[in-house]
Amino acid sequence: MTPARSSAPVVRVAILGCGAVGASLVAHLLSRTDDLAVQSGARIEIAGVAVADLSRTRPDHVPKDLLTDDAASLVVDPSIDIVIELIGGLEPAGRLIRAALESGKPVVTANKELLASPEGIDLRAVAHRRGVDLLYEAAVAGAVPLVRVLRESLTGERIQRVMGIVNGTTNFILTKMSDDGTEYAEVLATAQELGLAERDPTADVEGHDAAAKTAILAGVAMGYDVVTAEVPREGITHIGSVDIEFAARFGYVVKLLAVVERIGADEISARVHPAMVPTSHPLAGVRDAFNAVFIEGEWAGELMLYGQGAGGLPTASAVVGDLIDATRNRLAGTTSLVPERRPARIYPVAELRSAYYLTIDVEDRPGVLGLVSTVFGDHHVSIRSMEQIEQEELIGLARLIFLTHAAREGDMNETIDALAALDAVKRVGSTIRVFGEDTA
Ligand SMILES: NC(=O)c1ccc[n+]([C@@H]2O[C@H](COP(=O)([O-])OP(=O)(O)OC[C@H]3O[C@@H](n4cnc5c(N)ncnc54)[C@H](OP(=O)(O)O)[C@@H]3O)[C@@H](O)[C@H]2O)c1
């Protein structure tokens, strides 16, 4: 690659945060200055790196003289051209981004939590009003080029559905449970040892992280403003190795799916839940901590994007892509702004249809099966198959495993409540949606 001419304009960037992603970004920018100048048309110079605690030890490549604990002054410094926010969380990230945008500076961020909050929606409005870029490729699925693909390559497409594996931690856990037959708690401990799960794993295993990404996807893919609180979410903590084993026997793998789909003319459903995915589906082959997003367009048909959804370097790579975009736009006096979004009309969860897998432990005596079947029928849920399995620990009990035909979610929930109320039913186990079965 030809080195950039020394006459190339200089673009000064402020980096807020020097953790896993921020420190990787600094390494990236310092090691590739010439390449980035050719690609962006400017020499990108790091003007300052804001951190919370100046006394903390930093990687050797981070120049000490660039560090500051005064992020608020850095973002409004008139000599700064572009702000990159890599602190995470709602505050002070939200305040700092707002200040940068209000002073006319483009912002690049990887902050899904903020972007999927009411404040995030407001920040996009501020970017519009001020005519500056607010770019966030790294916020969903890390290095996987998803936001730009949806916003640019597929901009003329009517996206019908986006289904993704957008949380690496849970995909790692489910993959290991499936490979080794190990239970959730044991695999979680391994993931924590490997640094693939936080000490407090709630955000990942309860689906909060995936819900924020789903809300962002609803905006990028369908043009609707959605916040995390509007995304119904279910995590993976109730999934047992017995469920995964059963799924495998019937040709499925269990995945935590982020789903955004158009329903009718002007409603959407955005949700996160585990699902049994047929092994023939491309998402079934996404293993370990990898992410993938499967997109269904009206004309483009099906396509899938796959890659590393987290980690300092992969995430910093996506941030650099946005930085180059913001730099080019700044030099050209333009922006990558997309049309204003509409508030979403969310389709009621109870009306969604899906086939289900359900396990219950019942008293092992005549007549119980009839009672149980009647409950399904009374709530308009039709049974596709039923199997009884022997479990050594179930003395005097039988475990029944049902696969249903497609049913309304509301009807399925009432069925579960009614089953749980039967004396003969001692335990209602996992309920998992079965993807790909006829939902009509
Ligand atoms: N890590 C990933 O794999 C990944 C993947 C995709 C997206 N993201 C997103 O990228 C962002 C950064 O994640 P990360 O993993 O790099 O986080 P991190 O390792 O926790 O780093 C956060 C950084 O922010 C700094 N910080 C905290 N409060 C601050 C304040 N008030 N002023 C200035 N700096 C402050 C911290 O300073 P100190 O170092 O002094 O504590 C630290 O350097 C988050 O939005 C995250 O969701 C991360």
Side-chain angles (χ1 to χ4, degrees):
M1 198 158 275
T2 2
R5 292 196 312 270
S6 54
S7 59
V10 171
V11 162
R12 284 165 55 79
V13 303
I15 301 174
L16 314 181
C18 191
V21 185
S24 298
L25 176 66
V26 172
H28 212 111
L29 296 183
L30 292 179
S31 65
R32 297 195 48 232
T33 316
D34 286 343
D35 291 351
L36 293 174
V38 171
Q39 278 150 355
S40 69
R43 292 198 75 77
I44 295 175
E45 199 175 283
I46 305 175
V49 180
V51 294
D53 182 355
L54 280 173
S55 68
R56 212 184 289 284
T57 310
R58 306 283 161 192
D60 288 344
H61 70 265
V62 176
K64 306 293 167 278
D65 57 326
L66 291 181
L67 293 172
T68 171
D69 59 0
D70 187 2
S73 300
L74 195 58
V75 294
V76 293
D77 177 339
S79 78
I80 303 284
D81 298 295
I82 297 173
V83 171
I84 303 176
E85 184 276 312
L86 297 170
I87 294 175
L90 297 181
E91 293 298 349
R95 259 195 323 273
L96 293 167
I97 292 178
R98 182 177 290 273
L101 295 171
E102 287 290 10
S103 56
K105 300 183 206 303
V107 173
V108 175
T109 178
N111 192 333
K112 64 215 136 202
E113 194 186 346
L114 177 63
L115 289 164
S117 72
E119 171 69 0
I121 288 176
D122 207 45
L123 289 173
R124 274 201 302 276
V126 174
H128 253 280
R129 180 166 50 74
R130 297 290 291 128
V132 287
D133 278 327
L134 174 59
L135 303 176
Y136 47 88
E137 181 66 75
V140 186
V144 183
L146 177 62
V147 174
R148 193 170 284 104
V149 167
L150 285 166
R151 200 187 58 204
E152 293 176 9
S153 315
L154 294 173
T155 186
E157 183 65 40
R158 185 173 162 88
I159 307 291
Q160 299 293 3
R161 179 160 62 176
V162 177
M163 249 184 346
I165 294 171
V166 293
N167 182 271
T169 305
T170 45
N171 203 49
F172 174 86
I173 293 173
L174 292 171
T175 305
K176 289 289 169 257
M177 286 175 75
S178 166
D179 285 356
D180 309 337
T182 357
E183 286 300 344
Y184 165 79
E186 197 182 319
V187 186
L188 172 63
T190 309
Q192 285 169 321
E193 275 164 34
L194 293 172
L196 289 168
E198 304 277 342
R199 204 165 302 153
D200 174 1
T202 313
D204 291 319
V205 300
E206 296 293 358
H208 297 281
D209 171 84
K213 292 166 177 170
T214 307
I216 296 172
L217 278 177
V220 182
M222 313 244 169
Y224 290 106
D225 274 332
V226 177
V227 295
T228 310
E230 291 174 300
V231 179
R233 141 203 81 70
E234 210 181 277
I236 63 160
T237 52
H238 64 287
I239 309 275
S241 61
V242 59
D243 305 319
I244 289 180
E245 225 179 275
F246 185 85
R249 206 143 48 81
F250 282 79
Y252 297 100
V253 286
V254 178
K255 295 289 182 194
L256 182 67
L257 293 186
V259 185
V260 181
E261 65 186 325
R262 239 179 250 285
I263 297 181
D266 62 351
E267 283 183 291
I268 61 161
S269 166
R271 57 192 194 269
V272 171
H273 54 69
M276 288 189 176
V277 178
T279 46
S280 56
H281 193 280
L283 284 172
V286 179
R287 292 171 49 81
D288 300 322
F290 279 89
N291 281 196
V293 176
F294 188 81
I295 301 167
E296 294 164 58
E298 195 175 16
W299 305 292
E302 299 175 345
L303 54 112
M304 188 163 97
L305 304 164
Y306 168 90
Q308 298 200 57
L313 282 172
T315 309
S317 162
V319 172
V320 172
D322 277 350
L323 174 60
I324 290 174
D325 241 16
T327 303
R328 287 180 185 153
N329 285 344
R330 187 138 182 109
L331 296 179
T334 180
T335 65
S336 304
L337 288 179
V338 289
E340 293 275 10
R341 294 191 184 149
R342 292 154 288 169
R345 289 189 51 203
I346 308 273
Y347 189 73
V349 174
E351 297 303 324
L352 288 169
R353 292 181 69 80
S354 172
Y356 285 87
Y357 155 95
L358 170 74
T359 65
I360 53 175
D361 294 343
V362 297
E363 286 171 4
D364 196 4
R365 61 173 170 80
V368 171
L369 204 50
L371 273 176
V372 166
S373 306
T374 306
V375 169
F376 279 90
D378 285 351
H379 294 89
H380 321 289
V381 177
S382 152
I383 297 169
R384 189 173 111 204
S385 71
M386 195 281 294
E387 197 171 304
Q388 179 168 339
I389 58 167
E390 303 301 326
Q391 296 278 95
E392 266 176 32
E393 71 273 17
L394 297 178
I395 299 155
L397 298 180
R399 175 158 298 164
L400 304 180
I401 298 186
F402 295 91
L403 284 178
T404 75
H405 286 290
R408 272 180 76 248
E409 183 153 337
D411 290 339
M412 193 63 204
N413 288 338
E414 283 174 22
T415 305
I416 292 166
D417 290 346
L419 286 172
L422 289 180
D423 285 341
V425 174
K426 297 303 167 200
R427 178 179 161 271
V428 177
S430 304
T431 310
I432 306 175
R433 290 161 187 80
V434 181
F435 172 77
E437 294 308 319
D438 184 19
T439 50

